[in-house]
Amino acid sequence: MGMACDASGGLLATAGADRKVLVWDVDGGFCTHYFKGHKGIVTSIMFHPDPSRLILFSGSDDATVRVWDLATKKCIATLKKHFATVTSLAVSEDGWTLLSAGRDQVVNLWDLHDYGLTITVPTYEMLEAVCVIHSVSPFASCLGLYKQRHGKKRSGSPAIDFITIGERGLVRIWSSEGAVCLFEQKSSDVTVSSDKEDSRRGFIAAGMLPLGQGLLCVTADQEFLFYSPMEYTEGCLNLILSRRLVGYNEEIVDMKFLGEEEQFLAVATSVERVQVYDLASMSCSYVLAGHTDIVLCLDTCLSSSGRTLIVTGSKDNSVRLWESESRCCLGTGVGHMGAVGAVAFSKKRRNFFVSGSSDRTLKVWSFDGLSDDAEQATNLKAKAVVAAHDKDINSLAVAPNDSFVCSGSQDRTACIWRLPDLVFVIALKGHKRGIWSVEFSPVDQCVITASGDKTIKIWAISDGSCLKTFEGHTSSVFRASFLTRGTQFVSCGADGLVKLWTVKTNECIATYDQHEDKVWALAIGKKTEMLATGGSDSVINLWHDSTALEKEEAFRKEEEGVLRGQELANAVSDADYTKAIQIAFELRRPHKLFELFAELCRRREAKDWIEKALGALGKEEFRLLFEYVREWNTKPKLCHIAQFVLFRLFSILPPTDLIEIRGIGELLEGLIPYSQRHFSRLDRLERSTFLLDYTLTGMSVIEPETDARDVQQDKSVMQSDIKDPGEEPLAEIANKEQQEICEEPKEKASSKKRKSHRSRDVAYKKVKGAASHKSGSAISSQA
């Protein structure tokens, strides 16, 4: 429920719903103190600002404040003068007074010498935060001037000035001397005008910003309000709201650009006020509050007198006319019997607006009777009224020449009425669901409608015929507006998509998906043609026309690519493969990179060239190379180069560098199966070659080299052993017989073969007999 850090930043205290107070060592991450004693949820917690005093304060919804000694780990005091939840704690500048604020509508000041109650300040509202104003704060200087002017400075102990905020949404400044209120805001900036108890919302937290930057207040509906240091002018204290940050937009139902330069955006959300955003900082510049129920629609215009006007329609059955400069309501229109769901300003004369309601009527409201200096909102008068449709009216559009107004209804029709008397002209029938949006073309005599039947149609005003139908959304279309002088239009719908269409070709040229839910609101700047979209996801997206920038960027990249391509060609012609490979990586040209690696593989010094080229690459380029190799490895024609490069990569990069490459696991998973397939194919090819060798050997076409050498050696040994004088060597006899066989005709070859076999047998017997005779004589001589 709360956290606090001590002055050194080393300790963190937490207050929990388990009625415990824990203190943690920030660096070590362990609990150093465990305090229990509160009988209810601990709602607030605070260290003493003096680091030498190890004291911790905690407040609870048991209406007590406890003081804990961190040195002895005990509760040294229990303060019991509150009668409701204690919501906030603060310590005076001198460190000897504790301020506690609670929902019992009082602030108690306690003396830390004896922990006794010094004074009770009644505030008459349930408080959520109390902040002490230090003497160096700009608030203190303004208060000093104010006290001197009003004679409130007294002698004695210095008074403690403090700020309180609470359920009323007002910032008030108090002085402990006399328990008086020195300053109170005239009106709340929380801007909730409902008087119902269950819907009243105010501030829930506050804090003094460091370095005198002012006061920060947090509202219950998730807004940050930054108040600049106070000003003392004309004898009065003024508190200026310098900035408002909206933390949650609720459901965005409508929006329009505002101002002559369209630097603001007026947004209607599911609350009873309109927020105006500054597009430069996207902070909420101001809020228009006055409706008592949800604002459903709005429109903006620059009047003929130069004032920027805003008209809003609400669920409280009324319309309001606002001026953006003074941020005040100029007029209120009452008369509708249902929620006002559509409003539209005059486009040409800009002296009236039209409203449509769930009571199925249209009303034309005039600006007559408006005063420039009127402090009170005047009652607007309706110049014309007509019962227009059978169901709720969802959208209105006024023609560029102010001669017609078009209304779109839930009864599946759009009707065109002649202004200013609302005379019926024609009905546009053809949609199968309710119509959510209507708009006149800025250049042609036609109307565009968007419907819940997922289609967009363009209608001719002259005869009410449907000219074109656009299909592409997968759900209801809520908005459709023309762009680029009617040649294009943009649409959005319940599918969360924003689509850009070309009217001439019926083609959707772009689809943008930036929303998580229905897109209810669409605004188009007339000068800048900037888009703003918002919807149920509470997000406002701004869209800029980037066509010219994209063309310029594409031209620049093309020009740079041509220059780098020429450098690549020069490097290849100079055989500077290292530079060529580097440029190919920069240009992201995998085909050229493959050609360079293929050229290197055909060179003798391929290993040195590739190692030199790969050594100049970074981790991101290695990852890119692995992606290229993975693609090359999938194709049999390119796999040899891929495997060659892959082998060199694994030779160069150690495993420690490989695992640091982003996505290396996924890349290797894509390389392994194809590499295994290539290895299996090569293995099958190698085994097939052995079958060829075996076949040729069996056909006596070739003989194994080792066997031939052994046979030749054996023959030479035998010849040297059995050679006698007068006899021819057996090898010469065999060669002669072989030559005779080759020289004879083919028909005598078989008979010659038989003779040669017989002569070989005779020669073999002679050799055998000679060998036995020689061995016998050797044995006898030895004996």
Side-chain angles (χ1 to χ4, degrees):
M1 304 298 293
M3 293 194 298
C5 284
D6 71 334
S8 66
L11 297 178
L12 172 70
T14 58
D18 57 357
R19 308 177 185 179
K20 307 296 190 299
V21 176
L22 302 180
V23 182
W24 308 80
D25 184 281
V26 176
D27 296 329
F30 55 87
C31 180
T32 60
H33 298 75
Y34 180 88
F35 298 124
K36 58 182 180 178
H38 282 293
K39 297 179 181 180
I41 295 173
V42 185
T43 55
S44 56
I45 195 164
M46 180 185 180
F47 281 98
H48 196 285
D50 187 358
S52 62
R53 302 179 64 181
L54 301 178
I55 298 176
L56 179 67
F57 307 100
S58 63
S60 170
D61 63 0
D62 61 3
T64 63
V65 178
R66 288 181 175 266
V67 185
W68 310 90
D69 191 337
L70 298 180
T72 61
K73 299 184 179 182
K74 293 181 180 180
C75 177
I76 58 178
T78 303
L79 313 180
K80 298 182 177 179
K81 291 297 181 180
H82 281 285
F83 298 96
T85 302
V86 179
T87 56
S88 181
L89 301 170
V91 176
S92 63
E93 189 174 8
D94 61 4
W96 290 105
T97 302
L98 174 69
L99 288 78
S100 61
R103 296 194 178 122
D104 54 357
Q105 304 185 4
V106 298
V107 175
N108 288 331
L109 279 72
W110 309 84
D111 189 351
L112 294 183
H113 292 91
D114 55 2
Y115 301 105
L117 179 64
T118 303
I119 189 173
T120 297
V121 181
T123 59
Y124 308 104
E125 73 165 330
M126 289 191 291
L127 300 179
E128 296 295 334
V130 59
C131 302
V132 174
I133 300 176
H134 290 187
S135 59
V136 295
S137 171
F139 286 89
S141 59
C142 295
L143 288 174
L145 294 175
Y146 176 80
K147 290 178 181 179
Q148 290 178 5
R149 181 66 61 90
H150 292 79
K152 294 184 179 292
K153 184 69 177 177
R154 296 181 182 179
S155 58
S157 60
I160 299 174
D161 299 327
F162 56 91
I163 297 174
T164 62
I165 56 99
E167 63 173 347
R168 294 169 57 188
L170 299 174
V171 178
R172 294 192 290 176
I173 300 178
W174 303 80
S175 176
S176 63
E177 189 174 11
V180 295
C181 180
L182 303 179
F183 169 78
E184 180 178 347
Q185 278 185 303
K186 294 180 181 179
S187 61
S188 173
D189 291 312
V190 182
T191 64
V192 177
S193 57
S194 176
D195 294 330
K196 299 178 183 179
E197 286 295 331
D198 57 349
S199 64
R200 294 182 65 184
R201 293 171 288 178
F203 292 124
I204 59 172
M208 298 295 292
L209 297 175
L211 305 177
Q213 298 179 65
L215 175 69
L216 168 63
C217 296
V218 185
T219 68
D221 53 354
Q222 304 183 27
E223 290 187 2
F224 282 177
L225 304 184
F226 294 85
Y227 291 97
S228 61
M230 299 177 59
E231 293 182 356
Y232 180 73
T233 55
E234 299 179 357
C236 297
L237 291 172
N238 295 319
L239 190 63
I240 300 174
L241 178 63
S242 59
R243 194 175 185 188
R244 182 193 299 262
L245 294 182
V246 178
Y248 185 61
N249 286 312
E250 303 289 343
E251 187 169 2
I252 300 170
V253 295
D254 202 2
M255 59 174 61
K256 289 291 187 297
F257 285 100
L258 184 66
E260 187 175 0
E261 300 299 328
E262 298 175 349
Q263 69 270 29
F264 295 99
L265 184 68
V267 181
T269 63
S270 299
V271 291
E272 58 277 3
R273 62 183 184 272
V274 176
Q275 299 167 348
V276 180
Y277 284 90
D278 183 1
L279 297 181
S281 60
M282 282 312 292
S283 63
C284 185
S285 296
Y286 56 92
V287 172
L288 302 178
H291 284 289
T292 57
D293 210 333
I294 295 172
V295 178
L296 297 176
C297 56
L298 60 86
D299 197 9
T300 62
C301 82
L302 189 65
S303 67
S304 56
S305 61
R307 294 190 297 180
T308 302
L309 302 178
I310 304 173
V311 62
T312 57
S314 171
K315 206 173 180 180
D316 60 7
N317 305 345
S318 68
V319 293
R320 284 179 176 262
L321 184 65
W322 311 80
E323 184 183 20
S324 64
E325 285 82 5
S326 60
R327 304 174 186 178
C328 63
C329 180
L330 300 178
T332 304
V334 180
H336 281 293
M337 302 303 294
V340 181
V343 290
F345 267 116
S346 163
K347 295 294 188 293
K348 186 177 180 181
R349 294 188 293 272
R350 303 172 186 173
N351 58 355
F352 69 89
F353 66 90
V354 186
S355 64
S357 169
S358 60
D359 62 5
R360 309 168 189 176
T361 63
L362 292 179
K363 292 179 182 287
V364 178
W365 306 85
S366 175
F367 293 173
D368 297 339
L370 288 180
S371 174
D372 295 340
D373 300 327
E375 295 182 359
Q376 296 292 331
T378 60
N379 292 324
L380 300 174
K381 296 181 179 180
K383 295 174 60 178
V385 182
V386 66
H389 290 274
D390 297 332
K391 291 186 178 180
D392 297 358
I393 298 173
N394 294 329
S395 179
L396 290 174
V398 177
N401 58 0
D402 286 350
S403 58
F404 300 104
V405 61
C406 183
S407 59
S409 170
Q410 203 65 28
D411 63 3
R412 299 178 291 181
T413 64
C415 296
I416 297 178
W417 311 83
R418 192 178 303 277
L419 291 172
D421 301 324
L422 294 177
V423 178
F424 178 76
V425 176
I426 199 169
L428 310 177
K429 298 180 180 180
H431 281 293
K432 298 178 182 179
R433 292 286 188 274
I435 296 175
W436 288 103
S437 174
V438 294
E439 185 176 297
F440 284 92
S441 171
V443 291
D444 297 324
Q445 299 292 319
C446 61
V447 175
I448 189 171
T449 59
S451 169
D453 61 4
K454 310 176 187 178
T455 64
I456 305 161
K457 293 180 181 290
I458 295 181
W459 310 80
I461 298 176
S462 57
D463 56 359
S465 61
C466 179
L467 301 177
K468 287 179 178 290
T469 301
F470 301 85
E471 298 180 352
H473 281 279
T474 59
S475 190
S476 299
V477 186
F478 293 144
R479 289 287 189 272
S481 296
F482 282 105
L483 282 172
T484 57
R485 295 188 59 81
T487 59
Q488 294 176 315
F489 69 89
V490 63
S491 64
C492 59
D495 53 7
L497 302 178
V498 179
K499 289 180 176 288
L500 181 63
W501 307 78
T502 300
V503 175
K504 185 176 181 180
T505 61
N506 282 42
E507 181 185 3
C508 176
I509 59 176
T511 300
Y512 309 101
D513 186 7
Q514 291 292 329
H515 286 276
E516 301 292 335
D517 208 338
K518 301 180 181 69
V519 183
W520 287 104
L522 171 66
I524 298 179
K526 295 180 177 61
K527 288 188 176 182
T528 59
E529 290 204 342
M530 184 170 61
L531 305 182
T533 56
S536 300
D537 57 358
S538 306
V539 174
I540 299 174
N541 286 327
L542 297 179
W543 308 81
H544 298 270
D545 184 5
S546 59
T547 305
L549 294 177
E550 288 178 356
K551 287 183 178 179
E552 183 180 352
E553 182 68 17
F555 177 77
R556 187 186 62 79
K557 286 185 177 180
E558 183 179 359
E559 184 180 11
E560 183 179 355
V562 170
L563 295 176
R564 298 292 287 171
Q566 186 60 47
E567 291 183 15
L568 177 60
N570 295 340
V572 172
S573 61
D574 295 340
D576 189 355
Y577 292 103
T578 303
K579 183 178 180 181
I581 290 173
Q582 188 69 32
I583 297 175
F585 270 113
E586 294 176 3
L587 297 178
R588 300 296 189 264
R589 295 185 181 179
H591 181 68
K592 188 64 178 177
L593 201 61
F594 177 82
E595 292 180 354
L596 292 173
F597 282 124
E599 180 66 24
L600 284 177
C601 290
R602 287 190 291 267
R603 294 177 172 267
R604 291 184 177 179
E605 62 276 8
K607 177 182 176 182
D608 298 334
W609 277 107
I610 289 183
E611 290 183 356
K612 184 178 180 182
L614 297 181
L617 301 181
K619 290 183 180 179
E620 188 63 25
E621 291 170 332
F622 275 122
R623 184 191 65 79
L624 199 61
L625 181 56
F626 270 108
E627 289 184 359
Y628 293 159
V629 169
R630 181 180 61 181
E631 295 300 321
W632 300 340
N633 199 42
T634 60
K635 300 176 178 60
K637 293 183 179 180
L638 311 180
C639 68
H640 304 288
I641 306 300
Q643 291 294 323
F644 180 78
V645 176
L646 193 62
F647 175 74
R648 291 303 169 194
L649 278 173
F650 286 129
S651 301
I652 295 172
L653 292 175
T656 54
D657 292 347
L658 276 174
I659 60 175
E660 293 179 359
I661 298 176
R662 181 169 54 90
I664 186 64
E666 182 181 354
L667 294 172
L668 293 180
E669 287 178 1
L671 282 166
I672 290 172
Y674 282 97
S675 298
Q676 290 177 342
R677 182 181 300 178
H678 300 324
F679 178 79
S680 300
R681 188 175 68 252
L682 292 175
D683 186 56
R684 289 195 302 270
L685 179 62
E686 186 178 5
R687 282 184 287 169
S688 300
T689 59
F690 290 123
L691 178 61
L692 179 62
D693 292 343
Y694 175 77
T695 304
L696 294 177
T697 304
M699 295 171 61
S700 299
V701 175
I702 62 173
E703 293 182 358
E705 295 180 0
T706 56
D707 295 346
R709 285 196 300 268
D710 294 342
V711 170
Q712 188 66 27
Q713 291 177 1
D714 292 341
K715 288 181 179 179
S716 61
V717 170
M718 290 186 345
Q719 289 174 2
S720 61
D721 290 341
I722 64 175
K723 186 177 181 181
D724 291 330
E727 291 185 346
E728 292 182 352
L730 294 178
E732 292 181 4
I733 297 172
N735 289 337
K736 286 182 179 181
E737 291 179 354
Q738 188 68 26
Q739 289 176 2
E740 292 174 357
I741 291 172
C742 293
E743 291 174 357
E744 289 178 352
K746 292 182 179 180
E747 57 271 10
K748 298 182 180 180
S750 58
S751 60
K752 289 293 182 181
K753 280 185 178 181
R754 287 193 296 270
K755 292 181 179 180
S756 63
H757 287 313
R758 286 196 297 269
S759 60
R760 284 184 182 181
D761 293 339
V762 173
Y764 178 73
K765 291 178 180 178
K766 290 182 178 179
V767 170
K768 189 176 179 182
S772 60
H773 174 73
K774 192 172 184 179
S775 60
S777 60
I779 291 171
S780 61
S781 62
Q782 185 177 2

